[in-house]
Amino acid sequence: MNPLKNTMDAGSQFEAFPLFEMKNRNLFWIGKRIQDVCFSLAGLILLSPLLLLIALLIKVEDPKGAVIFAQTRVGKNGKTFKMYKFRSMVSGAEAMLGKLMEQNEISGAMFKMKNDPRITRVGRFIRKTSLDELPQLMNVLKGNMSLVGPRPPLPREVADYTSYDMMRLLVVPGCTGLWQISGRNHVGFREMVELDLEYIANQSFKKDIVIMCKTVKVLFGADNAY
């Protein structure tokens, strides 16, 4: 069974959803793209020493493993792409997932486990502080992600989506969003969908700036990132 079947079937439905005014917003999309490129490029330059340090720590702990983990995610209109993260798990972590599914600690079409045995020591720290997400600035530069938007789901998660859930895929996914500043892993899947649709319906430059500022505030010391 193709895990993307629901996504592809829903592709023709995107224009049918009257809930959001997706058309006649060309100036907004252009401005948002310019904002993404400028901010992500500046972030990569300013954070380059930190990026190199994290890469070194990951390599020291596990010399044989890759520093960057590229994972297939579902983006706008169901199009898949490779999302980049610093590797925070042991090699072969994906193969171990099946045995852990029954220990999932979040409801809906997602998997989260606070004491996931696959996570390395360095990985636990960079997940706690969300530093593992920094390579996604490259995704933003490439255009398959935005700084702010719904988090891009996994294909196996999208396979369980309803038509209503599919509306999360109306826009380019983001590095951060309302979910991250509203409790993150303490927020269930259904609540996440509602937050994403609220963002899509009311997105603006001002809202994006507010979300990014709040994201910086919750990055360190949060107990809901794992």
Side-chain angles (χ1 to χ4, degrees), residues 91-100 118:
S91 301
E94 288 293 306
M96 300 167 61
L97 180 61
K99 298 179 180 180
L100 299 172
R118 301 173 298 166

Side-chain angles (χ1 to χ4, degrees), residues 4 7 71-76 79-81 83 109-110 150-159 161 165 168-169 173 189 192:
L4 292 178
T7 310
Q71 187 178 50
T72 299
R73 296 285 180 132
V74 182
K76 183 179 179 181
K79 183 178 179 180
T80 59
F81 67 96
M83 187 184 80
M110 290 190 296
R151 285 296 294 170
L154 293 162
R156 59 175 170 78
E157 295 171 344
V158 176
Y161 274 16
D165 301 334
R168 298 184 69 246
L169 307 179
F189 174 75
M192 183 191 72

Side-chain angles (χ1 to χ4, degrees), residues 36 39-41 43-45 47-48 50-56 58 66-71 81-88 126-127 129-147 151-152 174-176 184 219:
D36 282 344
F39 281 30
S40 60
L41 184 58
L44 285 169
I45 294 173
L47 296 172
S48 56
L50 177 60
L51 297 173
L52 290 173
L53 175 60
I54 295 172
L56 177 62
I58 292 172
V67 169
I68 299 295
F69 175 62
Q71 187 178 50
F81 67 96
K82 292 293 185 181
M83 187 184 80
Y84 306 124
K85 300 178 72 172
F86 278 124
R87 184 173 61 85
S88 60
I126 60 177
R127 278 178 167 239
T129 55
S130 294
L131 293 174
D132 63 320
E133 311 278 1
L134 289 179
Q136 287 162 38
L137 292 173
M138 289 299 301
N139 287 114
V140 177
L141 275 182
K142 292 175 66 175
N144 44 38
M145 288 184 71
S146 175
L147 289 172
R151 285 296 294 170
C175 299
T176 188
R184 197 170 177 175
L219 279 182

